[in-house]
Amino acid sequence: MRYKNIYSIAILFALTSLVSSCVSEDDLVQIDPNVDTEEAFWKTDNDALKGINSVYGSMLIDGSYMRSTPMMLDLKDDATRSNSPWTAMSVIGKFNSSIANPDIYSWAYRDFYQGIYRANQVLDNVPSIEMEDSNLKDRVLGQAYFLRGLYFFHMVNMFKNVPLPLSNSELYHQQKTNEEGWAQVISDLEMAVGLLPVSYDDVSGLDAGQIGRATKGAALAYIGKAQLFTKDFESAKVTFKKVLDLKVYSLVADYRDNFTVTNENNSESVFEVQFSREAGGVDLSWGGTPAPGWGRTSGRAITYGAAGFGYADLQPTWALFNEYREELTVDGEVDPRLDATIFYNKNAYDGVGMSLYGQNFATFYAANESNLNDLYCRKYENSDGDFANEYDWRSGINERIMRYADVLLMYAECLNETGATNDAYQYIQMVRDRVNLPDLATVKPNMTQTAMREQIAHERFLELSLEGHRFDDICRWGWLEDASKLAWLKSRDAEFNTYTPGREYFPIPQSEMDTNKGMVQNDGY
C-alpha cells in the first residue's frame, strides 16, 4: 500500500507539471466573441456617447430616481408621513432605518456607486479616444464630471462619510470625511462648468439638439447648492448669480406644469431625470445587471399615489396643508400650489369638488370616512384623467430635481445671509407672483435678517414640498440641533419624536462595512 501511494503521488506531480507547462493563466480567460470587451470599446465618438448615456442610465433604476431616492429625501421632513406596511419604508421618516434591514437605503448606496463607476469609465477612457469632434469630447467629459458630482452629492448628503473613487483602477477606496466629500462634489461640478454648453441647441455633433443632457446652468446650480450646504454663502451668491446671468431660465406660468408630462423640459427646468412610457421595454428597472427588457418608467407615482389609485406609502402632513392656507392670494383665493400638491376633500373646505383619475374625491371615498378625511400626494401623479390608476408601475413623468424657482430662493437666501436682506425681496417675489400672492415688500416690509430667514424657510416649504428639498434645508439650517426648532418640528410631525442625533444620515450598509475594511459606521447606528 505504501508503494502504491508513492506511485500515485508521482503520477499526480507529473500531471500537474504537464498541465502547468501547457496552460497559462491568460489561457483560462474565456471571452465571449459575441460581446464587446472594454478593450474593444472606447474607440470612436459614438462609443464615447454610448458610455456617457450609460451614466445617465443609473438615474433610472430603483435605488436612484426610479423610486428609492425620492422617498429617502422626502420622508424625513415635516411635509410627509408614512403609514406604509413595508417596514423599511415606514421607519425612514421615524429615523429608525436599521442595519439589519438594508432595503431601500442600501439600494441607493449601490446604485449611486454604479453611476459613479460608469462615470469613471468615461473619465478613464474617453480622453485617449482620438475623436473627430473635440467639442463633443469636452461635452462628454463635462457630463461625466457633472453626473459623478451629482451622485457624490447624494452620497455625501445621505450617508455622510463615504469613499470617493475617482478612477476604476483600484478595487478598494478609503472612506473620506464629509468635508472632503463636499469639496470633491464642488470640484467635479466646477470641472463640468468649463466643459458643458449652456444648451445643446447650438452645438453640432452626435448630441446636437438632445434634450435632458447636463448643461452649464445645471452644474452651476449644484455648485451653489453644495456651497450652501457648507455655509459658504458668499461663494454661493456669486455662483447663483451666474445662473441668473445665463438668461436661459424663467418660471413657467402654471405651477403644476412642473409635475406632469404636459410641459417637460420647460424653461424652469434646470435639470430633470428623463422618464418615458415609450422608451425601452416593459420590465421594471429594479437594479443589478442591466437587462434589455428594462423600461424607462418611474415607480414614484404608484408609491406616492392616493389610496385606491396607488399604495399611499407616503402622504402629506396636515402641517403642510394648513400652511398653504395661511396666506390668501391678492384675489382672496387659497394658494393654488395647495391643489397642485395635495389631494383632499375640497368640498369640505371650499365647497368645490376635486377630481383625481377622473373620479370625484368626495364620491370615491364616501364609503370610507378615514380616506375621505385624509391627504394624498398630487405632484408627479398621472391623475388628470388619462389613466385609471398607477398600478401598472409605468409613470413617464420626468423628475425635476433642480428648478429655477429653487435657484431664485437659494439666491435670495444667500443675499440675506450676506447682509443684503432688502435685495432678497425681489427674487422671492418672482416665485410668489406666479401664484398671485401679495407683494412681500408691502405686507412684510423691512424685515430683519432673522425674520427674512424664517420667511425664506416658509417660502421654500410651500414652493418645493414633496420635491426632496425640505429635510436638506432642515439639516443645513441646524434645526435638529436647536431645541426650540426641534420641538416645533415635533409639534408638526410626530415622526420627529423618534429622532436622535446622527440619524439625519442613513447607515452605511453592512455589506459595505464587511467588504471594504476600515469603514467606520455613522454615529447613532
Side-chain angles (χ1 to χ4, degrees):
M1 182 67 70
R2 177 171 176 247
Y3 293 110
K4 184 176 180 180
N5 289 341
I6 293 173
Y7 177 76
S8 297
I9 292 171
I11 293 296
L12 178 62
F13 274 124
L15 289 173
T16 302
S17 176
L18 179 64
V19 170
S20 63
S21 65
C22 297
V23 180
S24 69
E25 187 172 326
D26 290 342
D27 292 330
L28 299 176
V29 178
Q30 299 296 314
I31 297 175
D32 186 343
N34 298 312
V35 177
D36 286 339
T37 64
E38 187 170 352
E39 289 75 17
F41 196 67
W42 305 115
K43 301 295 184 182
T44 68
D45 295 28
N46 198 46
D47 289 345
L49 199 62
K50 288 179 179 178
I52 194 60
N53 288 348
S54 76
V55 190
Y56 285 97
S58 294
M59 309 184 88
L60 307 179
I61 51 181
D62 191 15
S64 56
Y65 284 101
M66 181 264 203
R67 185 176 61 152
S68 297
T69 292
M71 291 189 297
M72 293 169 66
L73 293 173
D74 279 332
L75 276 170
K76 288 185 175 182
D77 67 26
D78 57 335
T80 62
R81 56 199 162 95
S82 177
N83 294 310
S84 174
W86 185 12
T87 302
M89 186 185 300
S90 63
V91 299
I92 291 176
K94 300 176 179 66
F95 305 93
N96 280 331
S97 294
S98 170
I99 293 174
N101 185 357
D103 289 357
I104 301 178
Y105 73 83
S106 71
W107 304 338
Y109 194 96
R110 172 200 67 196
D111 292 346
F112 282 128
Y113 272 123
Q114 180 202 82
I116 292 164
Y117 178 86
R118 291 178 177 183
N120 283 340
Q121 282 189 309
V122 173
L123 294 170
D124 286 346
N125 291 285
V126 168
S128 62
I129 298 177
E130 295 184 5
M131 294 177 64
E132 297 178 8
D133 186 344
S134 61
N135 292 323
L136 175 63
K137 176 184 280 193
D138 284 347
R139 293 193 297 274
V140 167
L141 293 173
Q143 290 170 81
Y145 278 116
F146 172 82
L147 292 170
R148 189 175 73 177
L150 177 61
Y151 294 150
F152 278 153
F153 186 107
H154 288 308
M155 293 301 298
V156 171
N157 185 36
M158 293 193 291
F159 295 98
K160 191 178 182 180
N161 301 326
V162 296
L164 302 169
L166 304 182
S167 171
N168 293 338
S169 60
E170 300 292 333
L171 183 60
Y172 296 101
H173 299 272
Q174 181 183 1
Q175 188 178 22
K176 301 294 186 179
T177 66
N178 197 244
E179 292 75 18
E180 289 173 313
W182 285 119
Q184 186 59 52
V185 168
I186 293 171
S187 176
D188 273 2
L189 294 171
E190 286 177 338
M191 288 293 294
V193 168
L195 296 167
L196 290 173
V198 173
S199 166
Y200 289 79
D201 291 339
D202 300 322
V203 305
S204 59
L206 295 174
D207 57 349
Q210 294 187 351
I211 296 172
R213 294 188 179 277
T215 61
K216 188 183 298 291
L220 285 168
Y222 272 102
I223 290 172
K225 189 166 186 176
Q227 290 166 333
L228 265 191
F229 275 54
T230 57
K231 301 189 185 305
D232 186 359
F233 297 109
E234 285 287 355
S235 295
K237 179 176 67 174
V238 173
T239 303
F240 288 130
K241 186 60 164 58
K242 290 179 181 178
V243 180
L244 272 61
D245 288 345
L246 291 174
K247 299 187 184 304
V248 295
Y249 304 110
S250 60
L251 301 182
V252 295
D254 187 347
Y255 177 74
R256 182 155 164 71
D257 274 358
N258 291 303
F259 316 109
T260 71
V261 295
T262 54
N263 197 9
E264 293 179 331
N265 300 296
N266 59 47
S267 64
E268 188 169 341
S269 177
V270 180
F271 189 71
E272 61 190 74
V273 183
Q274 308 291 312
F275 290 106
S276 171
R277 289 179 60 89
E278 287 72 41
V282 296
D283 298 334
L284 296 175
S285 306
W286 294 122
T289 304
W294 280 5
R296 298 294 181 266
T297 54
S298 167
R300 175 191 177 115
I302 187 172
T303 305
Y304 287 51
F309 303 96
Y311 293 151
D313 282 324
L314 186 151
Q315 295 175 254
T317 60
W318 286 98
L320 176 62
F321 177 85
N322 292 330
E323 197 159 331
Y324 272 123
R325 298 181 70 89
E326 286 179 0
E327 184 181 18
L328 299 179
T329 68
V330 296
D331 297 323
E333 303 290 335
V334 175
D335 188 329
R337 291 175 298 189
L338 169 60
D339 288 5
T341 304
I342 299 176
F343 282 122
Y344 62 102
N345 185 9
K346 191 174 174 66
N347 278 325
Y349 292 88
D350 305 312
V352 179
M354 175 174 274
S355 176
L356 69 169
Y357 301 92
Q359 305 279 343
N360 179 274
F361 186 102
T363 303
F364 185 82
Y365 293 122
N368 189 319
E369 185 176 355
S370 177
N371 289 343
L372 178 64
N373 297 313
D374 214 340
L375 305 174
Y376 300 105
C377 301
R378 189 177 186 188
K379 279 185 179 178
Y380 291 113
E381 299 296 317
N382 298 280
S383 53
D384 292 347
D386 292 335
F387 300 94
N389 54 55
E390 302 289 356
Y391 289 122
D392 64 355
W393 281 87
R394 291 183 55 75
S395 176
I397 301 175
N398 289 359
E399 188 91 6
R400 283 75 155 179
I401 62 175
M402 178 64 75
R403 291 197 288 118
Y404 189 52
D406 189 9
V407 173
L408 291 172
L409 292 175
M410 288 190 289
Y411 183 53
E413 182 178 346
C414 291
L415 290 170
N416 184 53
E417 295 299 331
T418 54
T421 299
N422 285 336
D423 293 338
Y425 276 98
Q426 60 180 306
Y427 300 101
I428 297 171
Q429 194 57 43
M430 290 170 68
V431 177
R432 290 169 60 88
D433 280 344
R434 171 172 46 197
V435 289
N436 206 25
L437 290 178
D439 184 1
L440 189 62
T442 300
V443 296
K444 292 186 178 181
N446 302 315
M447 277 190 279
T448 65
Q449 184 184 59
T450 300
M452 179 61 83
R453 192 176 290 141
E454 293 296 313
Q455 184 68 33
I456 289 171
H458 165 75
E459 301 288 349
R460 290 184 61 79
F461 187 56
L462 299 188
E463 175 68 23
L464 302 167
S465 61
L466 308 181
E467 296 181 53
H469 301 293
R470 175 65 169 182
F471 186 68
D472 287 346
D473 290 345
I474 287 171
C475 290
R476 65 187 182 82
W477 291 332
W479 286 7
L480 297 175
E481 293 79 45
D482 183 324
S484 63
K485 279 294 186 183
L486 183 56
W488 180 72
L489 290 169
K490 291 177 179 179
S491 72
R492 293 159 62 84
D493 182 358
E495 291 182 331
F496 278 91
N497 287 322
T498 47
Y499 166 75
T500 56
R503 290 285 178 136
E504 59 269 30
Y505 294 103
F506 290 93
I508 304 293
Q510 189 60 45
S511 59
E512 176 76 0
M513 299 290 295
D514 294 339
T515 303
N516 199 354
K517 299 302 181 183
M519 292 284 288
V520 177
Q521 186 57 269
N522 286 331
D523 294 340
Y525 293 97

